[in-house]
Amino acid sequence: MEEFSTDWPAIYLILFCGVGIILLSVGFLLGRLHAKKIGSRSASEFGNDAAILETVVEHAHEGLVMQDIYGRIEWSNPAYTRITGYSAEEIRGRQPQEFVLPPDKQLSSRELENFKFDLKKFSSGFKELIQNRRKNGELFWNQLTFAKVEGETEEKTRMIILCQDVTREVERFAELEETRKRLKYQAEHDELTGLATRAKITSFLQECLSRDHGKSRKVGVIQFDLDHFKEINDSHGHSAGDAVLRLVAGVLKSVLQEKGLVARVGGDEFLAVISDPDGPDQMESLVQQIFGDLDQPIMVERQRLKVAVSAGLVLAETENTSLAELINRADIALYAAKKAGRDRFSWYTDALGTAHRHRRMNMARLDQDLENNNLTLLMEPQYDLKQKQITGYEASAHWLHPSEGLVDPAKMLSAQEDSKRIAQIERFALQEGLSEIRRLREAANRPITLSVDLTGASVDNPRFGEQLVRLCEEAEIPVADLTIELNEQIVRFDEHDGLQCAIGRLSGTGCWIALDEVGGGRGGAGQLIRVNANLLKLSPWLVGDLESHTKKRHLTQSIVRLAEKFECKVMAIGVDRLEQLEILRDFGCHFIQGQLISGPLSAREAEIHLREFAM
């Protein structure tokens, strides 16, 4: 008989109930054998126990058959007839293999003739799950449990077999197994791209590191990140973003899958593990191939999109590297690639690792100082050319760096990755700046305004306008005396909501809106249409050599005239010489800011400077 499986716990739990029936059946059939030998004895000698036993066997739900060692059936109970469809008379003297096996598993005449139970294998308790066929042709799963009845000789030994129709249990088990496989696949594969998940690739990488203990092998890890993916989502919608992710996943899989495993481990982050690569040249070649495949713009929803990725590469020996360290190194290398300009790759080096550790320690110190409000406020005076006096200050938060001294902490941070820190820094500048302006107004006994440079980290908060008004009320400073400066570079023409809407909400509070760094070559006059600005701040690059650069003078004069058309004031930054001041005054500029008036000052220095300054 053909064995299907011997390790089905869920089914066997059900089948153990039949063991008792087998034991009873053995006793009953032994009694029948004994009765044949002493045919002259009367049935009453078996007593009531034999009658009860016979009733149990005859009415059992499980089929029972007794066969000789050649497999010929000598007896079967009614349940066996119900299960197979064959009556006891039809099968007596025949081998079950003649009529219960499916067509594709039929035995030949020679095999049937030579069949004999292997009494060592088919001992009591032996189980076998096999697919059988009923008399009507229907297939079913039959669980067989064997019991051996020892005779005086091998020829007189009998096999008693318990037969159970477990088709429903097998089908249910198959359904559960299919569900388990499906859930396992879903857990190990990203739904959108079909790539492996973080859990799957982490397990794969761990296998690579633990394989062949004692033997040094190499493993390569490449971390990928899409460049400017948020802009694709924001400008073209999430469906376009999903299409881009599927495209990139397809390229990564086609290039790298045969070399190892590729996974999507974040929104637009991918990780590849190269098992035992040839060396750095091969890894660089693979990355260059990926860059090349993504080089051409793609069509997504009838729009041409440029897709680019940055990559961080690591190649290490398996015997002296941990899983966490490998992934961390790849992430450090990726960060270096993005910082160097994106659309490129970087290798992890010990120098990068050291710099990353220093940055991590510095970020920990910065976080502690942010928590304790332990920053320094600097204030740079702004001079009104018409009133000929200081009328305002630009406030900025600075931090005492462990090795570099007082620095602008926002310049150390990434707008995307450190937005929470940046928002904390900007809130400090705003809150402390309002407090100091109040003190300066009281000391000077005249209105003095405050300017604070902000980014999307603060402005994007839907409740920022309310917070700003509340801070002004607490400081008893009119909202109209507060100017929020926005670098013209962050105000984009293709944004239909997001920051544009945030600026609109901000303007609705009554504060002034200033476009900073105008004329620096990174923005355009179109911002004046998109943003209801009150003030334009000319870039230091434009003002720096105003006296000697004719084209810059022409551009400066044009910006001042354009601002008049839009009813905007103009402030020049980086004014260091009187000659610059005179040119700007002639052009109609309203305010200046720079070393000619003063550089950034502490709050105490600002008070003294305001009292003593004259020009």
Side-chain angles (χ1 to χ4, degrees):
M1 305 179 101
E2 181 178 352
E3 183 177 352
F4 179 85
S5 171
T6 58
D7 188 21
W8 289 57
I11 296 174
Y12 289 161
L13 186 61
I14 300 169
L15 303 181
F16 285 155
C17 298
V19 172
I21 295 175
I22 282 216
L23 295 175
L24 291 171
S25 303
V26 169
F28 169 70
L29 294 171
L30 283 172
R32 290 181 65 96
L33 288 172
H34 185 59
K36 288 182 180 180
K37 291 181 181 179
I38 61 169
S40 59
R41 291 186 182 179
S42 66
S44 62
E45 289 182 358
F46 288 99
N48 291 331
D49 290 345
I52 294 171
L53 182 57
E54 183 170 2
T55 300
V56 170
V57 170
E58 292 295 322
H59 292 85
H61 290 288
E62 292 79 8
L64 283 166
V65 292
M66 182 171 68
Q67 298 173 251
D68 63 18
I69 62 170
Y70 301 106
R72 292 185 292 263
I73 297 173
E74 295 184 346
W75 173 89
S76 64
N77 72 340
Y80 189 78
T81 297
R82 290 195 300 271
I83 292 172
T84 64
Y86 293 95
S87 67
E89 291 74 19
E90 288 180 282
I91 61 176
R92 189 175 294 115
R94 299 174 64 187
Q95 296 169 307
Q97 297 94 320
E98 296 179 37
F99 55 86
V100 297
L101 293 180
D104 60 329
K105 294 187 173 69
Q106 290 285 347
L107 300 183
S108 66
S109 300
R110 185 177 183 83
E111 288 174 318
L112 289 171
E113 184 179 346
N114 293 331
F115 177 81
K116 183 179 180 180
F117 279 111
D118 182 348
L119 297 181
K120 292 181 180 179
K121 175 182 177 182
F122 292 95
S123 57
S124 295
F126 179 80
K127 292 180 175 64
E128 185 176 43
L129 180 64
I130 188 169
Q131 194 175 42
N132 282 171
R133 182 179 60 170
R134 307 188 208 277
K135 185 176 180 180
N136 62 8
E138 180 185 358
L139 298 178
F140 71 100
W141 287 100
N142 194 359
Q143 174 68 56
L144 306 178
T145 306
F146 295 83
K148 183 171 63 173
V149 182
E150 295 283 357
E152 296 176 359
T153 64
E154 186 180 82
E155 292 292 325
K156 293 181 180 180
T157 296
R158 295 293 182 267
M159 298 296 298
I160 299 174
I161 304 167
L162 174 71
C163 305
Q164 291 178 284
D165 183 353
V166 293
T167 304
R168 289 184 180 180
E169 288 78 4
V170 170
E171 289 175 350
R172 190 178 299 116
F173 183 87
E175 290 173 1
L176 291 173
E177 182 66 11
E178 181 63 29
T179 300
R180 185 192 67 80
K181 289 179 179 178
R182 185 173 66 254
L183 293 175
K184 183 174 185 292
Y185 181 88
Q186 291 173 352
E188 294 181 347
H189 292 81
D190 176 57
E191 183 179 0
L192 177 65
T193 64
L195 296 179
T197 59
R198 178 184 291 273
K200 174 67 174 177
I201 200 165
T202 300
S203 175
F204 178 79
L205 180 54
Q206 186 60 61
E207 289 177 10
C208 291
L209 294 175
S210 58
R211 192 186 305 154
D212 298 331
H213 288 294
K215 295 182 181 179
S216 179
R217 301 170 67 251
K218 293 185 182 296
V219 63
V221 177
I222 310 175
Q223 180 104 359
F224 294 93
D225 186 271
L226 269 68
D227 296 333
H228 306 296
F229 180 69
K230 185 178 183 298
E231 296 176 11
I232 294 176
N233 265 340
D234 291 346
S235 302
H236 303 284
H238 289 285
S239 60
D242 289 348
V244 168
L245 289 173
R246 284 191 290 265
L247 169 80
V248 173
V251 170
L252 295 177
K253 188 173 182 178
S254 65
V255 175
L256 300 173
Q257 193 71 38
E258 292 184 0
K259 310 295 188 301
L261 187 64
V262 186
R264 181 185 176 207
V265 295
D268 61 338
E269 297 178 7
F270 301 86
L271 187 69
V273 174
I274 312 300
S275 179
D276 205 14
D278 296 338
D281 290 344
Q282 183 199 25
M283 292 182 63
E284 287 189 12
S285 175
L286 292 171
V287 173
Q288 293 287 13
Q289 185 179 344
I290 290 167
F291 284 3
D293 290 348
L294 295 173
D295 188 51
Q296 296 300 319
I298 63 169
M299 290 297 297
V300 175
E301 299 180 354
R302 292 181 293 182
Q303 299 195 53
R304 293 172 65 85
L305 300 180
K306 179 69 173 71
V307 179
V309 298
S310 299
L313 287 72
V314 180
L315 181 62
E317 301 287 340
T318 57
E319 65 178 358
N320 53 16
T321 310
S322 70
L323 182 149
E325 182 63 21
L326 261 180
I327 295 177
N328 184 53
R329 288 180 181 182
D331 194 55
I332 292 171
L334 173 63
Y335 181 82
K338 296 180 83 68
K339 191 174 180 181
R342 303 173 185 265
D343 194 17
R344 64 193 65 204
F345 67 85
S346 291
W347 279 97
Y348 173 83
T349 63
D350 290 340
L352 273 181
T354 301
H356 177 75
R357 286 191 294 274
H358 286 165
R359 171 181 164 77
R360 189 169 57 191
M361 288 189 295
N362 289 336
M363 289 300 101
R365 292 176 182 174
L366 175 60
D367 287 340
Q368 186 175 3
D369 286 341
L370 287 173
E371 185 70 24
N372 298 327
N373 227 28
N374 191 20
L375 298 178
T376 299
L377 186 76
L378 294 184
M379 307 179 70
E380 186 171 355
Q382 298 169 333
Y383 185 81
D384 188 314
L385 291 175
K386 184 176 182 180
Q387 297 185 35
K388 297 184 179 180
Q389 65 179 358
I390 295 171
T391 55
Y393 288 85
E394 179 180 351
S396 58
H398 284 66
W399 176 57
L400 187 60
H401 190 280
S403 59
E404 299 178 16
L406 211 58
V407 299
D408 180 352
K411 292 182 179 178
M412 302 166 48
L413 304 175
S414 163
Q416 291 184 341
E417 299 171 5
D418 301 302
S419 60
K420 184 178 179 181
R421 290 188 179 110
I422 294 173
Q424 286 180 274
I425 293 166
E426 292 174 352
R427 182 179 178 86
F428 174 89
L430 180 60
Q431 193 166 10
E432 294 299 314
L434 285 169
S435 177
E436 291 301 328
I437 286 295
R438 176 182 176 179
R439 192 174 60 79
L440 289 175
R441 289 165 73 107
E442 292 172 351
N445 195 28
R446 60 183 173 87
I448 295 177
T449 62
L450 173 69
S451 293
V452 180
D453 192 359
L454 298 182
T455 66
S458 295
V459 179
D460 276 340
N461 183 350
R463 300 185 58 190
F464 180 72
E466 300 172 16
Q467 296 170 0
L468 183 146
V469 171
R470 185 169 63 253
L471 289 174
C472 287
E473 290 174 348
E474 291 172 355
E476 299 180 350
I477 303 293
V479 179
D481 287 347
L482 174 65
T483 298
I484 300 301
E485 300 183 11
L486 302 168
N487 192 304
E488 68 164 4
Q489 191 177 0
I490 70 173
V491 183
R492 293 182 41 192
F493 297 121
D494 56 355
E495 285 182 333
H496 303 296
D497 48 17
L499 190 57
Q500 288 288 329
C501 292
I503 294 172
R505 291 194 301 269
L506 198 58
S507 180
T509 65
C511 70
W512 273 33
I513 302 295
L515 286 179
D516 199 7
E517 299 283 346
V518 174
R522 294 181 177 178
Q527 281 97 330
L528 293 175
I529 298 174
R530 299 277 185 175
V531 179
N532 186 23
N534 308 99
L535 178 68
L536 302 185
K537 299 188 73 173
L538 300 178
S539 166
W541 173 86
L542 192 60
V543 176
D545 50 355
L546 205 57
E547 311 100 304
S548 58
H549 203 296
T550 304
K551 290 184 177 180
K552 287 188 177 181
R553 286 201 303 274
H554 290 328
L555 179 57
T556 300
Q557 190 172 25
S558 298
I559 293 174
V560 174
R561 289 175 179 173
L562 181 64
E564 290 177 0
K565 299 289 184 181
F566 284 88
E567 298 181 349
C568 288
K569 302 288 186 180
V570 178
M571 178 182 293
I573 313 171
V575 179
D576 300 332
R577 297 179 294 278
L578 280 172
E579 294 83 357
Q580 295 169 327
L581 182 150
E582 295 302 330
I583 293 172
L584 291 165
R585 194 199 307 271
D586 290 343
F587 287 166
C589 185
H590 304 88
F591 310 97
I592 62 170
Q593 183 177 327
Q595 289 294 337
L596 184 62
I597 309 303
S598 174
L601 304 167
S602 68
R604 178 60 181 160
E605 291 170 338
E607 183 180 355
I608 298 171
H609 180 267
L610 179 64
R611 186 170 58 245
E612 297 178 352
F613 178 80
M615 186 173 69

